[in-house]
Structures are given as C-alpha cells and as structure tokens.
Amino acid sequence: MLSTIVLALLVSLTLYALKIYTQFARNLAAAKKSGIPYVIIPFYQLNRLYQLSQLFVVPIARKLPVSWTEIWFDLTLEWGWARRYEPFKRFGTDTFLTVSPERNQLYTADANVISQITTRKTDFPKPLEVYESIKIYGNNVVTSEGQVWRHHRKITSPPFSEKNNHLVWTETLEQCQAMVNGWFDGNTGKTESKTIYTLADDAMRLSLYVISRAGFGVRLQWPGTGGTHANGHVKNEEENNTSSVGNAQKHTMSYTDALGSLLHNILWVLIVPPFLLKHLPFQRTKESYTAFVEWGKYMNEMFQQKKATVLKGEEGDSMDLMVALVKGAGITKESSTGEKPPAQTLTDEEILGNAFVFILAGHETTANTLHFCLALLATNIAAQRHLQADLDEIFQGRPVNESEYEEVIPKLFASMAGAVLNEELRLLAPVVGVPKSTLKDSPQPLELGGKTCTVPADCYIAIITPAVHRNPNQWPTGPPANPQKPSHPLSNLDNDLEEFKPERWILDPDAKHAASMPDQEADTEASHLGVNTAADTSAALYRPPKGAYIPFSEGYRSCIGRRFAQVEILAVLALIFSLYSVELAVDAYASDEEVGKMNDQEKFEVWSKARDEVNRQMNEDMGAIITLQLRKGAIGLRFVKRGKERFNCNAR
Ligand code: HEM
C-alpha cells in the first residue's frame, strides 16, 4: 500500500517536473527567437504563491551564492520602485525579457517601445486577470477590453469636460480653504500652523470630497466647518443642498464613514471575496464587509434617485458621472414613454462598478500627488519661492477664489505650478508598473533600437514608470547635487534625475505669462472616447519625447481623469502658496524656542537633518500597495504666512 502511494507521488512529481521543464523550454525558445535581450529567473512575478512566499523564500535564498541569485534579487517584487533605472543600466538595455517556467515577461523603460505598446491597443491589450479584484461591484471601464471597454469609456467620458473641470477648481478651492483653516485651528490671524502630521489623511479627504462633488454631485463638508457632523455631512446638490443621500434609517454607517472605511480597508475588500469577508472573525474584516455593503447601498440609492430624475427629464444640464452612466445606459425620459423600453446597455452592477472604480482610480492617486508636492516643496525652498513669484504674477494680488478659472488655469499650467506638478509626477508617479500583454498565439513585432524584434505570445508586459522617468537616454541630465550623499543609493550616482528640480521643466524663465494648456490632438476616435492623445504638459514647458513621461500612461488606455487631477492639484498649489509657505518640521531636533535663538548656519543644520529624514522616508518608507504611497510614519510639515518663514536655507 505504502509503496503504491510513494510510487504515485513519484510519478506525479516527475510529471509535474516534466511539465515545468517543457513550459520553461518553450518560453526560453520564444525568448531566444525574439531578438530581445533576456534573463532567466526562477519565478513568474505575478504568481500568487511566489508573491506570498517572498517573506520566507527571499531570506533563505539570500544565503545562496550571490552569483546564483543576483539577477532575480534585483527583480523581486516592487523592484521598479526600489531599484528604478539601475537594472536596465546594468543589463545594458532599456527593454528586456525575463524567462521563467510559467510565463515570459517584458520590462521596458524605453520611450519608443512604450509609445509603440500604448498606441497599438489591439496588439497589446490590458492583461485583464490583473484587474479581476476590481470587479467587486461589477464590470467597469478598467476591467474590460475591446468593444466592451469602448462602450464603458464612451459612456463615462462626458463628465470629464472643461465645464466639470471648472467645478473641480471651485470645489477644490473651497475644500482646500477649509483644510488650511483646520491647520490654523480656525484662526486665520495666526502666522504659523502647528506641526501637521495628518497631511496624508487630509489630502485623501480633500480628493474624496472633490470627486464626490464633481463626480457625483454630492457635497461633503470638511469636519469642523458650518456646524456639521464630525465625519462630514452629506448633501445632495440636486435637492438644493437640503437632504442627505440615502435614508439614514436604513444605514449603519454614514456615507462618508462607509466610503472612508471602504477605501481604508480596500486591500481586504479586493483580495477576500465578499462571502468570505462576511464570515471572517476579525474586527477589520467585519468593518470592511460592512463598509462594502453600506457604500454599495448608498450608491444604489443614488443611482435610483438619478434614474428617477432622468426619467422625469429633470436632470437639467447636470452631467455628473452617475447621470452620465444612467443616460449612457439608455435610461432617458424618451425611453420610458415607449411601449417597450429598450434594454439597458449597462447593467445596474456595471453602473455601480464604474462609480466605484472612478473613486478608486481617482482619489488615492491625486491625494498622494498633493501630499508629496507639499513635502517636496518643503525640501526645496528655492523652488517654493519661484512658485510664489509666479503665483504673484498670475493673480496680481487678487484672491485665488475670486479669479477667473478660464483665465488663470492656462497660466498655471505654463508656470512653476505646472512644473512642480510635472516634476512630482516624474519622481513619484503613483502607478509604478503599467500592465499590458500579448495575447495567446499572437506574438507581436516591436521596433527595438532600429531592428524589428518579436514580443513572444502570451507575454506579460510591465512599463516601469520610475525607470523611464529616470532614464538618462531620454531626459536631459545634470551632475548629481551631492555624489557623496546620494538621495538614492542606486539612482543618484551619476546624474540628477533622482532630484526634485521643477526648474528642469522651465524652458524660458521670462516666458511665464505664456498661457498654454496641455492640448488636445485632433484625433476624432480618441477624443470621442475622452482619450487625450496629446502631451501631458503645457507647450510653454519642457516636453519630453513621447513615451518618456507617462504618469497618466499614454494612448487609448491612458487616464481619463488626467485633467481633473491636474486642475485639482494646481488649485491647491495656487491657494496655499499664494498666501503661505510650507516648512519642514524640525521638532525632532530643536524646540521652537531654540530655533528662535539660532543663527542662519544653525538653522541650516537642523533644517538639513529634517530634509535628510524626509528624503529617507520618501525612499525607504514608500511602497506601492495599490499606488505609490508612504507605508509607515508621517512627514511633519508646518505652514506659515508668507514673509514669516523660519527657514530660508536653500532659497537662493
Ligand atoms: C494624479 C492623479 C492620477 C494619476 C497619476 C493617474 C494615473 C493613471 C494611470 C497611469 C492610468 C492607466 C493605468 C493602467 O493602464 O493600468 C489611469 C487610468 C485611469 N484613471 Fe487615472 N490617474 C489619476 C487621477 C485620476 C482621476 C482623478 C480619475 C477619475 C476621477 C481617474 C480615473 C481613471 C480611470 C477610470 C482609468 C482607466 C481608464 C481606462 O482604462 O480606459 N484617474 N490613471
């Protein structure tokens, strides 16, 4: 009996080994034939077991001879962020394949290759298996491909109009003012805020509130303003700001709490299926499940509300995302009057799925960009002064919220504000690996360094954003600021692409009045789908080669919320820096009293310690959970009225 079991085990193991070997041999043959440089690694990076085993496999493997493991250690999880351009530099190529028994992968930091991949949308589709978990409420624009994607994208694109961007601008200014008031404890006469350690959360709140208003017509009030509930009071625009979304009786959580908790626990919700989440005995999972159910209910109520409004033909010129989804699904006043209403072209689940994915895709990305813009500006006082000088020229002493959106927004895009935004997104693009693929049985030609190569069939492709944004073959470079003390151990040794230098975008410092928006190319099919195929940056600023600057990705599957996010961030920069400066908190090194007695040199010394710590945090404590963010700790910042700065260390 025992010998039969042993024999069966041996046979199974042999068959499994044979299968692995055959797959590996097939993948290796395809890589050899491709003409693309390749390296062999033991695991397919997206294999769940491999990902889970990182914790114990990697420490054991580190005991093996370095020559055996060197290459694949360089390519462990999140290497694109951790190692940036260095693996490409060491392999001597900007595009390479990894060969493993499960699947071949192509990594690239080559602008020309990125351009080919992002423009040939049917040759290089999205690998939909990566987005499976985002379907929790229903299929949507992110989780679909081909004709289905076109349908979703066409329906969801109308709200991303200049008219709505105007609303993004006004709502951001209002919420941002409330956020700043909170930092000053409501006393705007104060010259200096307390040290703020909540910036990451504040930025999350701000971006959520702006999406709620501009995306769904739901107005949320900042805690502590206007006698509202601590967690934000929900008002529905269409009902004249008087009623709440949903009926509070039916809910166990407020709308804000449900959304906040859902996003806070998003990894649980995405990884664990709802039926399991419901029954797990942990507090965190219970809360995640309740938030998942509650937010779904709120969205469903909002959907029913908007549907009723649209069916009565009472939506006016409102075109928020939910109205767009209702109308796009074929629900109109006319459709309700016919004898047999036409079938909905989006199911109720798909409508909810899209509502969810817009919040998911739009809130964390924008929030982190805001957070890091402020932190980076605190480390570069000269850039901050330049920004303030540009804002003074643009606003000419008028309060930002009393200025004309249409007049100031192109100027902001073309000024140091646009440069700060571009530079932050170059250094800390929230999406660190843009996924693409080739289909089974569909190898694809690719022009690589002047010769035609072949990307193997069924290949997973990752465009490594941190690497292409630091690729010295694509960007003008200068020498590193301090080679003895690089701001990143691998990436700041022989050029300055690791440094936050918004000035690199300024072509002509005297041309700052040149008002220029990032333009929209006349590509009718693309613009029909809300796809902006033009450069991300204003023509008055430096424009990198196509494919070299991709914080919003490129081509048909690029970010639909690009302009929305840009307008929001520019509004925050304009409002804050026209009145305030941001400073690094030095509380860990000296008290306010001690700083008050310091001379310039002594101040420089404590400030430099704080700057080094922020640099460390922004390298070592960052990681990409869904998007790139600070995984632990907080960056301490202070806001002071302009003219009352304590530190002017590197201002000149
Ligand atoms: C700084 C802010 C933002 C950044 C850096 C960013 C970046 C990106 C990137 C890189 C992609 C492509 C992802 C991929 O191919 O896997 C993407 C797609 C998308 N983004 Fe954004 N995003 C931002 C803000 C927003 C906002 C504010 C919204 C909506 C309100 C939004 C909605 C979307 C949607 C719906 C897609 C999927 C588009 C499609 O597949 O057709 N994003 N974004």
Side-chain angles (χ1 to χ4, degrees):
M1 177 66 183
L2 189 66
S3 59
T4 319
I5 294 174
V6 172
L7 190 68
L9 255 174
L10 276 176
V11 171
S12 311
L13 273 175
T14 314
L15 285 176
Y16 181 68
L18 257 176
K19 183 179 163 218
I20 296 281
Y21 176 76
T22 320
Q23 281 175 333
F24 175 69
R26 186 197 58 207
N27 290 345
L28 184 61
K32 283 185 174 161
K33 214 170 129 194
S34 72
I36 302 170
Y38 66 87
V39 290
I40 295 172
I41 58 171
F43 304 108
Y44 171 52
Q45 293 247 322
L46 268 74
N47 181 304
R48 284 285 154 115
L49 264 181
Y50 163 68
Q51 292 181 341
L52 287 173
S53 70
Q54 287 272 306
L55 279 179
F56 50 93
V57 169
V58 169
I60 296 171
R62 285 212 187 272
K63 300 201 181 339
L64 297 170
V66 174
S67 57
W68 295 10
T69 57
E70 192 176 21
I71 284 176
W72 65 274
F73 272 150
D74 290 354
L75 304 177
T76 47
L77 281 182
E78 292 194 4
W79 69 266
W81 167 247
R83 306 188 78 87
R84 297 159 196 191
Y85 182 66
E86 191 266 350
F88 294 95
K89 184 173 153 193
R90 203 145 51 82
F91 298 156
T93 172
D94 285 349
T95 301
F96 63 90
L97 287 166
T98 58
V99 181
S100 65
E102 193 170 339
R103 197 178 184 190
N104 285 342
Q105 284 174 272
L106 180 126
Y107 292 108
T108 185
D110 179 326
N112 182 268
V113 167
I114 293 169
S115 239
Q116 295 175 63
I117 290 173
T118 52
T119 43
R120 286 164 54 192
K121 65 178 187 305
T122 36
D123 295 343
F124 298 104
K126 302 246 81 182
L128 291 187
E129 69 277 10
V130 174
Y131 301 97
E132 256 323 286
S133 55
I134 302 175
K135 288 183 182 169
I136 49 169
Y137 289 102
N139 211 0
N140 55 67
V141 68
V142 175
T143 60
S144 48
E145 250 301 340
Q147 284 307 321
V148 180
W149 167 79
R150 284 177 66 85
H151 183 56
H152 283 270
R153 180 101 185 193
K154 203 171 148 197
I155 288 176
T156 50
S157 64
F160 293 89
S161 61
E162 248 335 83
K163 182 174 162 229
N164 213 23
N165 292 338
H166 195 151
L167 181 59
V168 171
W169 169 261
T170 30
E171 185 64 12
T172 305
L173 291 179
E174 200 165 313
Q175 298 289 1
C176 183
Q177 188 60 63
M179 176 173 77
V180 173
N181 290 350
W183 294 340
F184 283 79
D185 296 324
N187 179 358
T188 41
K190 273 168 114 178
T191 53
E192 188 174 308
S193 76
K194 58 194 180 233
T195 297
I196 310 292
Y197 289 106
T198 55
L199 208 65
D201 291 343
D202 292 345
M204 289 283 184
R205 186 184 287 276
L206 180 86
S207 89
L208 258 191
Y209 284 18
V210 174
I211 294 192
S212 280
R213 172 74 188 277
F216 299 97
V218 176
R219 184 94 200 277
L220 298 163
Q221 282 189 347
W222 203 266
T225 55
T228 55
H229 306 296
N231 284 319
H233 181 71
V234 182
K235 288 178 175 175
N236 182 336
E237 272 236 294
E238 273 157 22
E239 292 183 299
N240 231 355
N241 284 354
T242 52
S243 77
S244 301
V245 165
N247 174 348
Q249 304 293 315
K250 287 191 276 173
H251 290 280
T252 55
M253 269 179 166
S254 73
Y255 170 84
T256 327
D257 282 348
L259 182 53
S261 171
L262 178 66
L263 294 171
H264 182 66
N265 295 308
I266 195 67
L267 271 188
W268 283 108
V269 179
L270 294 184
I271 292 171
V272 186
F275 70 88
L276 197 59
L277 201 60
K278 184 179 179 182
H279 292 107
L280 285 179
F282 313 106
Q283 184 58 31
R284 188 82 189 257
T285 48
K286 281 186 193 318
E287 191 189 314
S288 313
Y289 180 74
T290 311
F292 164 71
V293 173
E294 283 294 310
W295 192 75
K297 280 205 251 166
Y298 277 116
M299 279 293 112
N300 206 19
E301 284 159 20
M302 184 191 287
F303 167 48
Q304 299 305 339
Q305 227 176 53
K306 302 254 168 172
K307 190 167 154 180
T309 316
V310 171
L311 283 174
K312 282 189 241 152
E314 288 172 1
E315 77 281 10
D317 64 351
S318 161
M319 201 53 186
D320 65 43
L321 184 65
M322 196 53 102
V323 171
L325 286 167
V326 169
K327 286 178 137 180
I331 305 167
T332 57
K333 189 177 175 195
E334 295 69 42
S335 73
S336 69
T337 49
E339 252 176 41
K340 196 169 162 228
Q344 258 179 247
T345 65
L346 280 185
T347 63
D348 290 7
E349 288 75 28
E350 287 171 332
I351 290 178
L352 246 61
N354 276 299
F356 169 70
V357 92
F358 275 81
I359 294 208
L360 186 71
H363 108 283
E364 194 174 284
T365 43
T366 316
N368 288 327
T369 307
L370 281 173
H371 177 199
F372 299 136
C373 272
L374 297 177
L376 287 168
L377 279 166
T379 67
N380 187 335
I381 300 173
Q384 207 178 137
R385 299 290 170 267
H386 189 155
L387 167 64
Q388 289 165 330
D390 277 11
L391 293 175
D392 290 348
E393 292 220 31
I394 294 170
F395 292 99
Q396 299 283 329
R398 267 172 306 158
V400 174
N401 57 1
E402 288 173 20
S403 306
E404 284 297 318
Y405 167 79
E406 289 79 7
E407 185 205 327
V408 294
I409 198 76
K411 291 183 182 169
L412 286 170
F413 266 112
S415 72
M416 189 64 169
V420 166
L421 167 61
N422 293 351
E423 181 69 349
E424 191 283 338
L425 283 171
R426 186 187 67 79
L427 276 181
L428 301 170
V431 181
V432 297
V434 177
K436 303 279 179 189
S437 66
T438 51
L439 293 172
K440 282 198 168 59
D441 306 320
S442 182
Q444 289 299 329
L446 186 77
E447 207 248 303
L448 195 67
K451 65 175 183 153
T452 303
C453 300
T454 308
V455 184
D458 190 27
C459 183
Y460 180 91
I461 299 172
I463 297 172
I464 306 296
T465 322
V468 67
H469 285 181
R470 290 163 175 82
N471 184 343
N473 304 321
Q474 317 285 352
W475 293 82
T477 60
N482 186 352
Q484 271 70 51
K485 206 171 160 191
S487 56
H488 184 275
L490 299 171
S491 179
N492 190 215
L493 302 177
D494 50 14
N495 67 54
D496 65 350
L497 289 171
E498 191 55 46
E499 294 160 27
F500 175 68
K501 287 171 88 172
E503 317 80 52
R504 78 174 81 240
W505 296 85
I506 306 285
L507 291 176
D508 174 2
D510 297 324
K512 52 192 164 228
H513 296 295
S516 151
M517 297 282 268
D519 36 35
Q520 171 81 42
E521 266 171 24
D523 174 335
T524 45
E525 198 208 352
S527 50
H528 199 48
L529 296 170
V531 175
N532 195 340
T533 51
D536 280 349
T537 67
S538 161
L541 300 181
Y542 172 68
R543 280 192 161 162
K546 213 166 162 41
Y549 182 62
I550 50 158
F552 297 99
S553 188
E554 259 188 11
Y556 279 79
R557 295 304 294 258
S558 63
C559 179
I560 201 169
R562 172 175 110 179
R563 191 65 64 85
F564 183 122
Q566 288 173 322
V567 167
E568 182 173 338
I569 292 155
L570 290 176
V572 170
L573 292 178
L575 188 102
I576 294 184
F577 291 96
S578 58
L579 296 173
Y580 304 97
S581 293
V582 61
E583 299 203 320
L584 295 173
V586 297
D587 310 30
Y589 314 103
S591 68
D592 287 356
E593 209 185 348
E594 284 165 334
V595 173
K597 292 181 192 153
M598 283 178 182
N599 61 29
D600 284 355
Q601 180 55 31
E602 289 163 335
K603 280 187 185 172
F604 179 67
E605 278 160 23
V606 283
W607 182 86
S608 300
K609 284 184 191 163
R611 183 204 49 202
D612 291 350
E613 173 56 11
V614 171
N615 275 343
R616 188 203 63 72
Q617 287 177 290
M618 291 180 98
N619 280 317
E620 292 173 20
D621 297 347
M622 299 269 279
I625 295 181
I626 294 178
T627 57
L628 189 66
Q629 58 184 281
L630 207 56
R631 271 188 179 161
K632 57 178 179 186
I635 295 173
L637 297 176
R638 279 204 195 181
F639 294 84
V640 294
K641 283 246 162 83
R642 281 177 61 185
K644 300 290 179 191
E645 292 83 6
R646 301 195 297 174
F647 303 101
N648 264 313
C649 315
N650 68 351
R652 284 165 295 275

